[in-house]
Amino acid sequence: MSGALKLLFIKNLVNTTCLQRYGKSLEPWEVTLIWSFVVSIFSIGGLLGTLCAGRLTAAYGRKRCLLLNNVVAVVASVMMLLSKIAMSFEMIMVARLLYGVNAGVAVVVHAIYLVECAPKRLRGMVGVSVSTFVSLGIFTGQLLGLSELLGTEELWPWLLGFSGATALLQLATLPLLPESPRYLLLDRGDRQGCENAIRRLWGNKDHSAELEDMLAEHNSMKGVRSHSVLELILDQAVRWQLLTILVTFTTLQFCGINAVYLYSFEVFSTAGIPTHQLRHVALGTAGVTAPLPGEIFNQSFKSAAFTVACTINWLGLFLLGLLFPLIVEHLDYFCFLIFFLFCLLSGVFVWYNVPETKNRTIMEINAQFRMMHPIRGFSEDGITSTEFNHVKACTDTKL
């Protein structure tokens, strides 16, 4: 549903509510203020969900967090559906906040769960599927928002509450899947549960090599707990991995695609697309995310790394939505030169500072970071120099 249609429908609800309660209509600036709050509160919820997700997923597991998180989406969906009947725009605000919390938790936990459930040779492809299905979800929402479908005065509450249907679908299907094998072994020490999960996910073939890689990481992490975000920031052993996350996730927001998505109608209108065709052209825009923290951090840092990455995502999205209109006002279409600069600098950084991750274990990837960026007195989570040299030798052999 286009921003203009949403504004119109919610404006009517706000005015009708105020007329019934207080006997007065709001000024245009008051309606705009309420609308801006409705839009921005989603990002606030997303940030809150992201900050909680790392601790929740470490304490309760990936699968259980995803299951419980769907309950939040169902509650928000019900509030959206009842907002028009109850004549309460406040219910929309609360529902948007809950949707944000749901999205913030889901982005972190879902990416961790997928990457940990995928075998090493398919990890990259599975990681890309996160972005693919986020884009598919955005496309589906825009498609349902057409006036020919749910984008009408009568049906818009059903559009806003549609996320509840996908949450119910996940509640029905997720119990059929096992917990993450890596979580079972590395966090819970349950080798038998890990092996059972691997067989359910990957079949009854010989997966001893994958299991040995997990056991090697498990042995290196004995006595090591999950680290907090502050510990991640202060630990020199993972400094270059952290810099990689900061650079790539900042570029993810400032590469230009999300500016096109947030202001698709304004961008396409400026490009000369006729007004009556804007809602259909906007179906071609996509959103992106990345599972990179799951590939370059070991288990003890993984939750904190995803928390940092997704926090950058939400803050970047908020700043982009706030600043992009001002940038366009002063630079016109030259504003995309800023995005080009972000992409160029990020590409140069990755080329010279980030190792290849395809078909490599996390320990091998960390060893490559050490070789590219040596650290005096190397020690990570109890890994000895002998173990490091062994990983280095394995990596050299693959090279």
Side-chain angles (χ1 to χ4, degrees):
M1 179 162 47
S2 73
L5 286 176
K6 285 190 286 189
L7 176 58
L8 177 62
F9 296 151
I10 295 179
K11 175 182 176 181
N12 290 339
L13 177 63
V14 170
N15 275 328
T16 304
T17 301
C18 290
L19 278 173
Q20 288 189 358
R21 290 182 187 173
Y22 313 113
K24 57 173 284 189
S25 294
L26 296 178
E27 297 292 330
W29 68 269
E30 293 175 310
V31 175
T32 302
L33 181 63
I34 292 174
W35 167 248
S36 299
F37 189 73
V38 168
V39 172
S40 62
I41 201 170
F42 177 81
S43 295
I44 296 173
L47 182 58
L48 291 175
T50 294
L51 294 175
C52 295
R55 181 165 300 189
L56 291 174
T57 193
Y60 301 106
R62 285 59 164 143
K63 179 179 173 180
R64 188 181 301 177
C65 276
L66 286 173
L67 282 170
L68 295 177
N69 193 40
N70 287 304
V71 177
V72 179
V74 171
V75 172
S77 176
V78 172
M79 295 185 73
M80 285 291 193
L81 292 173
L82 297 178
S83 60
K84 186 178 180 182
I85 298 175
M87 297 302 296
S88 172
F89 60 86
E90 295 89 348
M91 291 179 68
I92 296 179
M93 292 181 181
V94 175
R96 286 276 296 175
L97 178 65
L98 292 177
Y99 272 149
V101 172
N102 170 262
V105 172
V107 166
V108 175
V109 183
H110 178 71
I112 294 177
Y113 182 67
L114 281 184
V115 170
E116 290 186 350
C117 286
K120 183 170 59 176
R121 62 186 177 83
L122 297 177
R123 191 174 55 205
M125 183 181 298
V126 170
V128 170
S129 73
V130 177
S131 301
T132 302
F133 283 100
V134 167
S135 301
L136 180 62
I138 293 171
F139 173 83
T140 303
Q142 291 177 328
L143 180 65
L144 292 174
L146 296 178
S147 57
E148 293 86 351
L149 297 174
L150 298 180
T152 65
E153 178 67 30
E154 296 77 21
L155 297 178
W156 66 265
W158 290 93
L159 175 62
L160 296 181
F162 184 78
S163 295
T166 58
L168 289 173
L169 178 62
Q170 190 173 84
L171 277 172
T173 57
L174 191 57
L176 302 177
L177 300 176
E179 179 57 273
S180 154
R182 294 183 64 85
Y183 172 79
L184 290 172
L185 180 62
L186 301 181
D187 288 81
R188 291 290 182 243
D190 184 0
R191 177 170 179 172
Q192 185 61 49
C194 172
E195 292 177 352
N196 293 337
I198 286 176
R199 283 193 293 269
R200 289 180 62 187
L201 288 168
W202 305 343
N204 291 320
K205 298 180 181 179
D206 181 21
H207 302 292
S208 57
E210 294 273 359
L211 186 59
E212 287 176 6
D213 289 338
M214 293 186 197
L215 287 171
E217 186 176 352
H218 177 62
N219 292 332
S220 73
M221 289 177 53
K222 283 184 177 179
V224 178
R225 56 180 174 76
S226 292
H227 295 290
S228 67
V229 172
L230 181 59
E231 289 171 328
L232 169 63
I233 294 173
L234 296 178
D235 197 313
Q236 290 186 350
V238 291
R239 178 157 297 172
W240 282 97
Q241 288 95 316
L242 179 60
L243 285 174
T244 300
I245 295 302
L246 292 176
V247 171
T248 55
F249 274 77
T250 299
T251 305
L252 191 65
Q253 287 301 324
F254 293 97
C255 67
I257 183 61
N258 282 338
V260 174
Y261 170 65
L262 288 172
Y263 296 98
S264 58
F265 283 78
E266 291 82 353
V267 171
F268 293 140
S269 178
T270 304
I273 304 298
T275 302
H276 67 280
Q277 294 180 358
L278 289 178
R279 56 194 177 130
H280 297 102
V281 174
L283 292 176
T285 59
V288 290
T289 188
L292 186 60
E295 297 192 20
I296 63 176
F297 284 94
N298 65 26
Q299 200 77 359
S300 64
F301 284 107
K302 191 174 294 183
S303 294
F306 269 103
T307 298
V308 171
C310 292
T311 298
I312 294 172
N313 255 348
W314 288 108
L315 291 176
L317 189 63
F318 175 79
L319 290 174
L320 188 66
L322 184 68
L323 299 177
F324 186 69
L326 299 176
I327 296 173
V328 172
E329 182 178 341
H330 290 87
L331 297 180
D332 202 17
Y333 51 83
F334 288 105
C335 66
F336 284 93
L337 289 176
I338 298 176
F339 302 136
F340 169 77
L341 182 62
F342 269 98
C343 293
L344 178 62
L345 294 178
S346 178
V348 172
F349 175 88
V350 170
W351 180 265
Y352 287 104
N353 296 288
V354 181
E356 178 59 68
T357 63
K358 184 178 180 180
N359 291 329
R360 290 180 179 170
T361 67
I362 291 176
M363 292 184 68
E364 290 169 347
I365 294 169
N366 285 338
Q368 278 295 102
F369 269 108
R370 299 287 186 281
M371 286 185 282
M372 296 176 71
H373 311 286
I375 300 175
R376 182 177 299 176
F378 166 74
S379 175
E380 179 183 348
D381 294 342
I383 298 178
T384 65
S385 59
T386 302
E387 292 170 325
F388 173 72
N389 290 333
H390 170 70
V391 173
K392 181 179 182 297
C394 293
T395 304
D396 292 340
T397 300
K398 291 191 177 185
L399 290 175

